[in-house]
């Protein structure tokens, strides 16, 4: 019988367009010839399941992934369940590729309607390494990465990354992940240790973060993802130059912070970058202050809705809001900032909101939103190929950030002093996680002290407003 | 990390020529629970210098004064838009504003004063660092507790450890770490000897108060008034009566707590 080649999407989102997806997610859709015989009329049962190519992956997790196949009653059921089993094998993160072969069973113990299902798997190599260079606005970095997939045979991963910058700053992170595919809600536990250097020239400070992050991720429905996290960091802030505003200078020094965080994401979009329909809502709440020198409560909401009005033309509405309540010790690096190519375009990075001596000093409340109209590139060059990576868009952004020291009345006032900008540009998809935008922006409304940046603006980010 | 560019120093020297403002603040660590012997000495020296110059200032205590300081050391002053740290740059800064204590001194006397000041930074400061961070008794009962008092656990432990490593690294580079306590005290003795010889029976080293007097006052006063488990350093300094008298004189004249 035939070979079923199937490849699940990396993220297990609900599939559209047929039972089987494509070999390569990037190639265009090829019409799958629909079978003309009624498969659900053919009685069948699975006698045997073979899994070929296992060497260090443990039997128990493979067995629980394919177990359901034995409950199939007709041929369609076998195919459906084989596909499902294939997906759950794929989601273990142990295999490079998986082939499924279905054949009639023969030999001793075979039944008249019996089938044999063979999964041909190739395990990921024991160690995967990489070396690359990155350039950010202040510094060039050399990044060394090592990944050990499926270390102990049950989908555990260890990954480490180390980067050195030419200005002698070094960052590293080591993360260990263990999935629990057999427990309820299939949680994935991640522990990581990191050290990160970051410079924020718009606010005049530099941060050196060293910390530990424990994360438990689980899904309560296919589209709903929860993350429960605890993070303990030592955040060492220092100013960038001798002439940095004294307000920023006051917040320098090492601070210990212990945070409990809950992030819930409901994602009904068809794609992470350039979706054509669906909504996404992310709500994160964090509580700092169980130990450490910082205590505050922070909540943030991000939402996005997409609708295709004409084929190829998508309207997107986005919104974000956040509130921070300081109990004690909340300094400039903790606050919210607004402005820049990823939030309110047409402003400098962190350019909307309170400033002191030309440096952004942040706020405790904000809201921001954006309205986009995405279309393919004009005249659609490279249609069906390279051109699919690009979109042109028109946008309108608005938002506001309130000053931390103001009283209730003033907060309401400053939350209504809206910054507005509009413009047009081209967006380029980078893989399935990030995008680059080149825009021409017109800041329409700015408040006193803001730093608008009319003209051409380039931005790279995973999340855009 | 403290960073100083050429541009910054040019700006500082160009625009620092305006008169001394009224709202100058001196930042230092908390005197009661946090400050350590070497820091206290230098804070007191700067305070004495500013008082000798009759420049108004206000003392503000911050837990993170050390990290706010552009050089990473306390104390520092905030004068308008400028932040200047440690005694010598502050002296220079005041001189730019036309306030100087050594204007009547000859070139030789100024050179002599510099030599004595660097003698103090090379001997007394290192001896204070040695006593605070290397002497086990003092480290365990005083330095460790005071230095970590402003941080929550376990940050206090981490910070104290890394600061101790930095101090030990510095002392090792200067070949002070290998010395025994006796050798350190002998160096202090020698330093105090040459200081008291220079002072003789005068009220101040050069007749009128200078930054050298402020520096000597800062160190001698701090060493003889700070209670430490290791009393040998204080005893060594206290034996030099003229230096103690100078410290008392400055204290009475400029720090009257009436």
């Amino acid at each position: 019988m035939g070979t079923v080649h199937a490849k699940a999407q990396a993220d297990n989102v609900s599939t559209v367009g047929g039972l089987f997806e494509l070999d390569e997610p990037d190639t265009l859709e090829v019409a799958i010839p629909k079978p003309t015989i009624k498969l659900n009329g053919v009685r069948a049962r699975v006698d045997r399941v073979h899994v070929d190519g296992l060497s260090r992956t443990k039997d128990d997790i493979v067995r629980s992934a394919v177990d359901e196949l034995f409950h199939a009653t007709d041929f369609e059921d076998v195919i459906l369940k084989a596909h499902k089993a294939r997906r759950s094998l794929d989601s273990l993160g142990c295999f490079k590729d998986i082939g499924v072969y279905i054949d009639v069973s023969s030999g001793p113990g075979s039944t008249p309607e019996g089938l044999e299902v063979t999964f041909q798997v190739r395990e990921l190599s024991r160690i995967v390494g990489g070396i690359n260079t990155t350039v950010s606005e202040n510094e060039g970095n050399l990044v060394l990465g090592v990944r050990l997939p499926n270390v102990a045979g049950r989908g555990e991963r260890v990954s480490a990354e180390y980067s050195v910058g030419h200005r002698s700053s070094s960052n590293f992170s080591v993360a260990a992940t263990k999935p629990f595919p057999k427990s309820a809600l299939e949680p994935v536990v991640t522990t990581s240790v990191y050290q990160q250097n970051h410079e924020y020239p718009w606010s005049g400070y530099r941060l050196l973060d060293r910390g530990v992050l424990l994360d438990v991720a689980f899904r309560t429905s296919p589209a709903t993802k929860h993350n429960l996290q605890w993070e303990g960091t030592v955040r060492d802030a220092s100013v960038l130059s001798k002439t940095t505003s004294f307000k920023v200078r006051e917040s320098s020094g090492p601070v210990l912070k212990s945070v409990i965080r809950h992030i819930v994401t409901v994602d009904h979009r068809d794609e992470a970058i350039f979706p054509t329909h669906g909504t996404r809502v992310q709500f994160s709440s964090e509580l700092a202050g169980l130990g450490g020198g910082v205590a505050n409560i922070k909540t943030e909401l991000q939402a996005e809705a997409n609708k295709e009005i004409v084929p190829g033309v998508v309207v997107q509405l986005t919104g974000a809001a956040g509130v921070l309540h300081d109990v004690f010790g909340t300094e400039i690096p903790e606050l919210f900032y607004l402005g820049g190519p990823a939030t309110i375009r047409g402003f400098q990075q962190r350019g909307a909101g309170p400033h002191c001596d030309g440096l952004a000093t942040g706020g405790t409340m904000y809201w921001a939103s954006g309205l986009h109209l995405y279309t393919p590139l004009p005249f659609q060059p490279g249609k069906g190929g390279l051109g699919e990576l690009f979109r042109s868009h028109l946008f309108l952004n608005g938002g506001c950030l309130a000053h931390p020291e103001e009283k209730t009345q003033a907060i309401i006032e400053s939350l209504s002093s809206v910054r507005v900008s509009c413009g047009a540009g081209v967006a380029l998809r980078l893989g399935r996680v990030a995008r680059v935008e080149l825009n021409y922006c017109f800041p329409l409304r700015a408040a006193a002290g803001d730093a608008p940046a009319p003209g051409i603006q380039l931005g790279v980010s995973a999340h855009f407003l | 990390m403290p960073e100083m560019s050429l541009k910054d120093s040019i700006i500082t020297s160009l625009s620092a020529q305006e008169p001394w403002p009224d709202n100058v603040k001196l930042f230092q660590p908390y005197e009661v629970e946090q400050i350590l012997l070497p820091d206290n000495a230098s804070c007191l020296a700067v305070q004495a210098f500013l008082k000798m110059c009759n420049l108004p200032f206000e003392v503000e205590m911050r837990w993170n004064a050390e990290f706010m300081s552009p050089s990473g050391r306390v104390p520092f002053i905030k004068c308008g838009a400028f932040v200047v740290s440690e005694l010598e740059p502050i002296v220079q800064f005041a001189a730019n504003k036309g306030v100087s204590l050594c204007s009547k001194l000859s070139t030789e006397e100024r050179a002599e004063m510099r030599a004595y000041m660097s003698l103090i930074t090379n001997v007394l400061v290192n001896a204070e660092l040695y006593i605070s961070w290397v002497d086990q008794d003092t480290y365990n009962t005083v330095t460790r507790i005071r230095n970590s008092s402003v941080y929550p656990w376990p940050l206090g432990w981490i910070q104290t450890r890394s600061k101790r490593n930095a101090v030990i690294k510095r002392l090792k580079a200067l070949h002070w770490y290998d010395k025994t306590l006796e050798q350190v005290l002998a160096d202090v003795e020698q330093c105090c000897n040459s200081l008291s010889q220079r002072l003789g029976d005068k009220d101040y080293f050069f007749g009128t108060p200078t930054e050298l007097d402020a520096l000597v006052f800062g160190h001698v006063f701090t060493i003889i008034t700070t209670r430490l488990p290791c009393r040998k350093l204080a005893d060594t300094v206290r034996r030099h009566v003229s230096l103690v008298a100078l410290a008392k004189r400055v204290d009475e004249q400029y720090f009257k707590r009436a």
Side-chain angles (χ1 to χ4, degrees):
Chain A
M1 279 213 163
T3 309
V4 179
H5 280 288
K7 172 114 180 131
Q9 266 186 329
D11 220 349
N12 266 350
V13 239
S14 60
T15 49
V16 213
L19 181 59
F20 299 116
E21 288 175 68
L22 309 162
D23 242 351
E24 303 269 342
D26 284 63
T27 53
L28 269 187
E29 254 183 73
V30 182
I32 303 161
K34 290 267 182 314
T36 44
I37 36 166
K38 276 201 155 185
L39 291 174
N40 54 3
V42 185
R43 279 179 54 76
R45 73 179 282 267
V46 175
D47 283 351
R48 279 203 192 89
V49 174
H50 300 281
V51 182
D52 282 353
L54 293 180
S55 63
R56 66 177 195 281
T57 310
K58 298 280 189 285
D59 286 350
D60 56 338
I61 58 161
V62 176
R63 202 173 291 151
S64 64
V66 301
D67 212 21
E68 220 189 317
L69 267 174
F70 293 109
H71 303 296
T73 51
D74 59 50
F75 191 68
E76 190 187 20
D77 215 17
V78 172
I79 293 180
L80 278 168
K81 290 203 158 117
H83 177 63
K84 217 173 145 192
R86 197 206 151 282
R87 271 195 161 187
S88 55
L89 282 176
D90 197 47
S91 70
L92 294 176
C94 304
F95 307 116
K96 224 183 289 184
D97 57 8
I98 303 167
V100 186
Y101 302 89
I102 302 174
D103 205 345
V104 288
S105 75
S106 55
S110 61
T111 55
E113 293 147 356
L115 296 173
E116 271 179 29
V117 181
T118 308
F119 291 94
Q120 204 103 51
V121 298
R122 270 173 66 204
E123 287 188 342
L124 287 165
S125 46
R126 275 186 186 276
I127 182 159
V128 185
I131 177 163
N132 58 299
T133 51
T134 60
V135 181
S136 63
E137 55 243 272
N138 295 308
E139 176 160 56
N141 284 296
L142 178 72
V143 187
L144 306 166
V146 176
R147 213 150 47 85
L148 306 170
N150 195 16
V151 196
R154 289 194 176 86
E156 300 87 349
R157 288 191 298 281
V158 177
S159 60
E161 203 176 82
Y162 177 74
S163 79
V164 253
H166 76 273
R167 290 169 58 171
S168 78
S169 75
S170 70
N171 299 328
F172 75 85
S173 71
V174 180
T177 307
K178 176 157 176 60
F180 293 92
K182 286 194 282 184
S183 338
L185 301 175
E186 305 187 352
V188 178
V189 179
T190 307
T191 314
S192 46
V193 179
Y194 61 86
Q195 166 174 316
Q196 275 182 332
N197 278 287
H198 270 298
E199 261 183 34
Y200 300 88
W202 324 280
S203 295
Y205 64 86
R206 176 191 297 132
L207 286 186
L208 168 62
D209 285 330
R210 293 190 177 103
V212 185
L213 175 70
L214 302 178
D215 176 287
V216 180
F218 56 91
R219 287 175 188 276
T220 47
S221 84
T224 314
K225 190 182 173 193
H226 293 261
N227 285 79
L228 270 177
Q229 299 179 336
W230 174 80
E231 193 173 4
T233 17
V234 175
R235 193 196 59 209
D236 202 339
S238 50
V239 295
L240 285 178
S241 85
K242 235 191 151 191
T243 46
T244 305
S245 163
F246 199 75
K247 197 170 158 48
V248 178
R249 188 175 285 278
E250 279 178 318
S251 62
S252 32
V255 169
L256 180 75
K257 194 180 165 193
S258 152
V259 191
I260 295 175
R261 196 179 291 128
H262 175 239
I263 305 170
V264 55
T265 314
V266 183
D267 194 345
H268 288 287
R269 297 174 303 174
D270 54 343
E271 283 272 357
I273 308 284
F274 302 147
T276 55
H277 67 263
T279 55
R280 174 181 183 272
V281 177
Q282 178 174 323
F283 185 72
S284 75
S285 21
E286 56 175 76
L287 176 72
L290 294 161
V294 180
N296 55 38
I297 303 168
K298 195 173 181 176
T299 46
E300 239 182 314
L301 177 76
Q302 289 174 351
E304 177 189 322
N306 302 283
K307 188 152 178 59
E308 192 166 26
I309 40 167
V310 189
V313 180
V314 179
V315 178
Q316 184 185 56
L317 183 67
T318 58
V323 180
L324 173 77
H325 177 72
D326 171 36
V327 181
F328 61 81
T330 306
E331 297 281 4
I332 283 173
E334 311 269 327
L335 302 179
F336 293 120
Y337 294 90
L338 211 55
T343 57
I344 300 185
R345 296 165 183 79
F347 285 83
Q348 278 177 25
Q349 192 75 33
R350 299 188 165 190
H355 279 69
C356 180
D357 299 336
L359 298 172
T361 50
T364 52
M365 274 185 202
Y366 82 98
W367 68 266
S369 94
L371 181 68
H372 293 262
L373 183 73
Y374 290 99
T375 61
L377 288 181
F379 313 114
Q380 308 200 338
K383 189 170 190 282
L386 199 63
E388 297 302 311
L389 298 176
F390 291 90
R391 291 282 189 284
S392 53
H393 75 146
L394 295 168
F395 64 84
L396 182 69
N397 279 142
C400 198
L401 183 68
H403 198 277
E405 282 140 38
E406 286 163 357
K407 298 269 173 296
T408 322
Q409 186 59 37
I411 284 178
I412 295 167
E413 252 167 53
S414 61
L415 277 182
S416 50
S417 81
V418 191
R419 279 80 165 175
V420 186
S421 70
C422 71
V426 179
L428 162 67
R429 191 182 83 188
L430 292 180
R432 274 158 198 275
V433 285
R435 72 189 211 213
V436 183
E437 277 188 9
L438 185 66
N439 295 318
Y440 197 90
C441 320
F442 302 94
L444 300 176
R445 259 189 77 176
D450 285 353
I456 289 176
Q457 198 169 42
L458 178 76
V460 187
S461 178
H463 291 285
F464 277 92
L465 193 67
Chain B
M1 271 280 138
E3 200 173 279
M4 197 167 162
S5 69
L6 180 64
K7 195 185 92 192
D8 285 344
S9 38
I10 291 174
I11 291 173
T12 314
S13 52
L14 279 183
S15 44
Q17 286 155 7
E18 295 144 22
W20 192 264
D22 289 335
N23 58 353
V24 173
K25 282 182 178 162
L26 182 137
F27 289 85
Q28 64 164 67
Y30 287 111
E31 229 160 48
V32 179
E33 58 271 60
Q34 188 192 8
I35 206 165
L36 301 174
L37 182 66
D39 294 344
N40 200 6
S42 43
C43 291
L44 218 49
V46 171
Q47 288 188 26
F49 169 74
L50 292 175
K51 290 197 180 200
M52 285 170 181
C53 296
N54 219 358
L55 295 170
F57 68 96
E58 238 178 84
V59 178
E60 210 170 312
M61 300 191 198
R62 294 283 174 96
W63 70 270
N64 57 349
E66 181 188 345
F67 303 97
M68 285 163 70
S69 160
S71 71
R73 303 216 181 102
V74 287
F76 71 97
I77 56 164
K78 175 185 181 278
C79 179
F82 303 104
V83 279
V84 190
S85 66
E86 297 179 80
L87 182 63
E88 279 187 52
I90 290 173
V91 169
Q92 194 59 46
F93 185 75
N96 279 341
K97 294 198 181 288
V99 182
S100 175
L101 293 175
C102 52
S103 48
K104 289 188 210 112
L105 267 57
S106 68
T107 324
E108 290 83 49
E109 279 175 322
R110 270 185 220 192
E112 205 189 342
M113 187 186 75
R114 294 241 157 137
Y116 279 110
M117 284 175 79
S118 77
L119 176 74
I120 292 173
T121 22
N122 284 333
V123 179
L124 286 186
V125 173
N126 286 342
E128 286 158 4
L129 286 172
Y130 185 95
I131 294 286
S132 308
W133 294 95
V134 182
D135 181 62
Q136 277 301 327
D137 234 11
T138 316
Y139 173 70
N140 282 327
T141 53
V142 179
T143 312
R144 200 164 52 90
I145 293 157
R146 288 179 74 87
N147 193 66
S148 52
S149 66
V150 291
Y151 305 109
W153 182 89
L155 183 59
W157 180 77
I158 297 170
Q159 283 297 319
T160 309
R161 228 181 80 129
S162 74
K163 193 166 174 185
R164 182 167 194 241
N165 288 342
V167 170
I168 286 178
K169 203 173 156 191
R170 178 191 154 149
L171 291 179
K172 267 186 181 157
L174 299 169
H175 302 293
W176 270 71
Y177 184 67
D178 319 316
K179 290 187 184 181
T180 59
L181 184 62
E182 278 63 44
Q183 283 172 308
V184 169
L185 293 174
D187 280 2
V188 172
E189 175 71 33
Q190 212 175 358
C191 168
C192 290
N193 266 336
S194 42
L195 282 173
S196 53
Q197 267 172 30
R198 178 66 185 81
L199 181 63
D201 47 11
K202 293 191 289 284
D203 276 2
Y204 296 104
F205 279 90
F206 297 96
T208 52
T210 58
E211 50 260 35
L212 176 61
D213 299 290
L215 192 60
V216 170
F217 160 74
H219 286 278
V220 170
F221 193 82
T222 312
I223 289 172
I224 60 175
T225 53
T226 309
R227 284 174 180 225
L228 294 177
C230 170
R231 306 197 57 82
K232 288 180 187 158
L233 180 65
D235 293 342
T236 310
V237 174
R238 210 172 277 140
R239 253 177 266 136
H240 297 270
V241 185
S242 56
L243 294 181
V244 176
L246 171 76
K248 284 197 175 138
R249 198 172 306 128
V250 174
D251 183 44
E252 266 161 37
Q253 186 148 8
Y254 298 103
F255 291 85
K256 267 178 279 174
R257 279 157 197 137

